[in-house]
Amino acid sequence: MEFHVITLFPEMFESPFRGGMVGRAIEQGIIVVKPHSLRPFGLGNYKQVDDQPYGGGSGMVMRPEPIASAIDAVKAEHPNLWRILMTPQGAPLTQHKVRELASRTPGLLLLAGRYEGVDERVRAMVDEEISIGDYVLSGGELPAMVLIEAVARMQPGVLGNAESVIEESFSSDLLEYPQYTRPEEFRGARVPEILLSGDHGKIRAWREAQARKRTAERRPDLLGRRRP
Ligand code: ADE
């Protein structure tokens, strides 16, 4: 699966994807992450990409022409990418949405705008708009990276263990149960006996009950939308 990003800061995409699971998936050719600089598509000698808002106000707004040219250029080489504008005004990025995006072959074209905004006419150039949460960042680059990380790890072969995708938090709309590793006792806190019992049926039931309890305490909103 391919992830293309139109951005004013392509260098931001270098180190975050060098290590970890996504880095390995890139090395193995399972995924491709390719930033495309918006700057060369800017207007005039100064390669201008933004301008003052009509009607006044603070901040700059990204002009539509450079973005349209950049999208056309990427499209010419990589047709059929699903186009997404990263914006706080978009639909929330949930695990459900992540799974949906993971099936959008051959890949995604993410548009990382600046937070003051892009010209309204840019909205017509994308297939959907996505927000990574109800807070504001200065640009769409980090949100694009968050989306890439979440979608990339759903690709077959990226995670070591296919089961871990299924068991994870939010995939079943429950938070994760408490996990323990060695030692059996740490500063007076013992690992729950049941986990040492070797009784896999009981362990599964305990984990399920713990996951429900934790979800009820911390994220009751998730229980409401849980599928039976
Ligand atoms: N750009 C700025 N803030 C954002 C957010 N929360 N989600 C997506 N894109 C953004």
Side-chain angles (χ1 to χ4, degrees):
M1 183 164 198
E2 299 194 0
F3 300 91
H4 295 265
V5 189
I6 293 173
T7 169
L8 280 170
F9 306 104
E11 65 285 353
M12 280 181 76
F13 289 81
E14 284 164 22
S15 65
F17 295 125
R18 218 171 273 149
M21 285 184 203
V22 175
R24 205 170 55 226
I26 291 172
E27 280 167 23
Q28 293 173 343
I30 300 173
I31 62 162
V32 171
V33 177
K34 189 155 182 6
H36 301 268
S37 177
L38 179 63
R39 189 60 67 184
F41 300 97
L43 303 165
N45 287 342
Y46 296 101
K47 298 290 171 197
Q48 192 184 354
V49 295
D50 55 9
D51 214 326
Q52 290 160 344
Y54 277 120
S58 63
M60 300 286 271
V61 176
M62 290 177 83
R63 292 180 60 132
E65 312 96 305
I67 294 174
S69 306
I71 290 176
D72 287 348
V74 176
K75 223 168 151 182
E77 293 208 7
H78 310 275
N80 304 319
L81 297 173
W82 184 254
R83 288 157 303 183
I84 301 172
L85 173 64
M86 303 310 299
T87 164
Q89 299 167 37
L93 183 66
T94 59
Q95 194 62 34
H96 179 81
K97 174 61 77 180
V98 165
R99 258 181 268 129
E100 187 186 302
L101 295 176
S103 65
R104 295 247 180 236
T105 51
L108 310 177
L109 171 54
L110 308 174
L111 179 55
R114 54 191 301 160
Y115 98 89
E116 291 99 335
V118 297
D119 185 284
E120 188 65 17
R121 290 162 290 188
V122 168
R123 297 192 192 279
M125 303 174 199
V126 298
D127 297 301
E128 69 177 314
E129 301 175 25
I130 292 183
S131 164
I132 64 159
D134 291 338
Y135 41 82
V136 176
L137 303 169
S138 344
E141 282 76 16
L142 287 170
M145 289 181 215
V146 167
L147 186 153
I148 291 169
E149 154 89 27
V151 174
R153 59 198 293 291
M154 303 301 287
Q155 298 303 308
V158 174
L159 289 183
N161 172 3
E163 239 184 332
S164 45
V165 173
I166 297 160
E167 274 201 14
E168 268 174 298
S169 286
F170 296 107
S171 286
S172 62
D173 288 338
L174 284 181
L175 299 183
E176 277 215 75
Y177 48 77
Q179 293 272 30
Y180 293 87
T181 183
R182 287 193 284 189
E184 267 184 46
E185 183 174 329
F186 175 68
R187 296 186 178 172
R190 284 194 54 79
V191 175
E193 275 318 310
I194 200 157
L195 296 178
L196 310 173
S197 69
D199 185 332
H200 295 293
K202 276 193 183 157
I203 290 172
R204 201 175 313 119
W206 181 84
R207 285 178 164 167
E208 168 93 18
Q210 290 290 319
R212 283 178 189 286
K213 179 167 173 275
R214 185 155 280 192
T215 309
E217 285 164 2
R218 301 186 181 191
R219 294 292 307 278
D221 56 303
L222 293 179
L223 291 173
R225 64 180 200 204
R226 190 161 190 249
R227 288 177 295 277

